[in-house]
Each structure stands twice: as C-alpha cells, then as structure tokens.
Amino acid sequence: MADLARTPRQIGTIIQRTRKKRGWTQSDLAARAGLRQATISTIETAETPAKLDTILAVLAALDLEFQIAPRSLGDNADIEDLF
C-alpha cells in the first residue's frame, strides 16, 4: 500500500520509516543521496523546508518515487498510521 503524505512532516516520517526498515543510518542515506547527514535529519524532522530536488534525491536513494494524484478525502487511519 502506498503511503499518503500531505505535509513536510509526513514526508519526513515516511522517509525515516523507510530508512530504518532498510537498517540505514542517516549517514548511510545521506551518502547514497549525495547529501549531508544534517540534511537528512532536517528532512525527517521537517525543521525547515527542503528543496524539491533534495527530496527527490532522497526518494531515489530509497528507491521510492514521487507521484501526484487528485486529492482524496483520505481516511483517518491512513494519516494516523504515519505517526
């Protein structure tokens, strides 16, 4: 099942969850994405907005993709599963 993300925090949570499932540290992911570990931390915590190209590099390193779809009503369970 695809994860639904509508906020930077939810994107960060999905990235963090996927990274941990692979047993990678933030440094591991940063090396694979060509970024600094601090950048991964910032994305995962949504402390400051990340550039789209940075998010896309992280997603590519995790073998994930960014999709655009019509906004759905969603389900409370879908959103709560992210936290």
Side-chain angles (χ1 to χ4, degrees):
M1 183 175 120
D3 289 312
L4 173 65
R6 292 184 172 153
T7 67
R9 179 68 194 129
Q10 291 171 340
I11 293 169
T13 298
I14 292 167
I15 288 170
Q16 182 182 54
R17 184 184 312 136
T18 304
R19 173 182 62 78
K20 287 182 175 183
K21 280 182 186 176
R22 294 171 191 255
W24 295 355
T25 64
Q26 288 181 344
S27 295
D28 294 333
L29 177 53
R32 286 172 167 85
L35 302 168
R36 297 178 315 116
Q37 176 275 325
T39 302
I40 302 301
S41 177
T42 298
I43 291 168
E44 288 183 356
T45 60
E47 291 174 15
T48 57
K51 293 182 179 179
L52 181 57
D53 61 337
T54 302
I55 296 291
L56 292 174
V58 171
L59 294 175
L62 290 167
D63 199 28
L64 298 175
E65 64 185 8
F66 179 77
Q67 294 186 8
I68 298 175
R71 191 173 193 97
S72 65
L73 295 177
D75 182 336
N76 287 341
D78 291 339
I79 294 184
E80 288 182 17
D81 284 344
L82 295 175
F83 299 99

